Amino acid sequence: GAVVSQHPSRVICKSGTSVKIECRSLDFQATTMFWYRQFPKKSLMLMATSNEGSKATYEQGVEKDKFLINHASLTLSTLTVTSAHPEDSSFYICSARVRVAGSYNEQFFGPGTRLTVL
Amino acid sequence: AQSVTQLDSQVPVFEEAPVELRCNYSSSVSVYLFWYVQYPNQGLQLLLKYLSGSTLVKGINGFEAEFNKSQTSFHLRKPSVHISDTAEYFCAVSLGITGGGNKLTFGTGTQLKVEL
């Protein structure tokens, strides 16, 4: 149980185009999903937290107009990189959890999406 | 705010030897602590976690970690490593149940390379 998938696993796009990455919880309903970015040989940096049915909360320094996050259902969140540029090339990882008040809620991670912008 | 320090960026070790990956954290409030493993081009897999209770935590694949509050450490250990343990290991912290929404803060990772 607790499987999170991401699609696509790899994507190459031209500079200036937009790319959508999907994150799905396959066997549970995720009230909250997180989006991380990982640079080569670096740690994971939290980009934003999205709660189903509400606007995402972005971390300081993350451009919300560039990285559009939608969490329209309890099993799907999407990250759209708008007007992508080579510096947006990175490994994007999502995680999902069920939020239960008063207890620890484990995050389950997706396999990641490798974005390359030419 | 909490932070995590993994001082060793790379740890080479021979197969069947023991290994310790170091992790220190900083926080003014109680925290939860985690170790994750990442294989190349894959997401993260939880190895073990400390939430409360016994300070010695056992995880998957023969790994264990010990929470030391006085030294603010959560070092990961395995008595005998295997080639398949070669991967990147991340220590992470989140605020305890009283706050933070369970957001994770990661260390910079330690590359464990197991050699024959």
Side-chain angles (χ1 to χ4, degrees), chain A residues 93-108:
Chain A
I93 302 175
C94 73
S95 70
R97 73 165 193 216
V98 176
R99 183 175 175 83
V100 177
S103 67
Y104 167 71
N105 311 129
E106 183 173 343
Q107 291 184 35
F108 299 95

Side-chain angles (χ1 to χ4, degrees), chain A residues 32-91:
Chain A
T32 304
M33 288 185 172
F34 301 87
W35 286 96
Y36 296 86
R37 181 173 179 177
Q38 185 179 30
F39 293 97
K41 300 189 185 300
K42 296 288 187 181
S43 184
L44 280 77
M45 301 297 294
L46 179 64
M47 299 173 66
T49 302
S50 74
N51 293 298
E52 186 266 340
S54 63
K55 290 184 178 181
T57 302
Y58 290 81
E59 295 298 304
Q60 192 172 11
V62 178
E63 299 176 62
K64 61 181 181 181
D65 293 331
K66 180 166 188 62
F67 298 99
L68 300 179
I69 292 172
N70 183 280
H71 192 164
S73 79
L74 286 172
T75 59
L76 174 64
S77 176
T78 60
L79 167 67
T80 301
V81 183
T82 62
S83 186
H85 291 282
E87 58 265 29
D88 298 324
S89 298
S90 193
F91 194 52

Side-chain angles (χ1 to χ4, degrees), chain B residues 52-66:
Chain B
S52 65
S54 173
T55 57
L56 183 61
V57 180
K58 293 189 182 298
I60 63 172
N61 300 343
F63 284 94
E64 64 180 33
E66 185 156 19

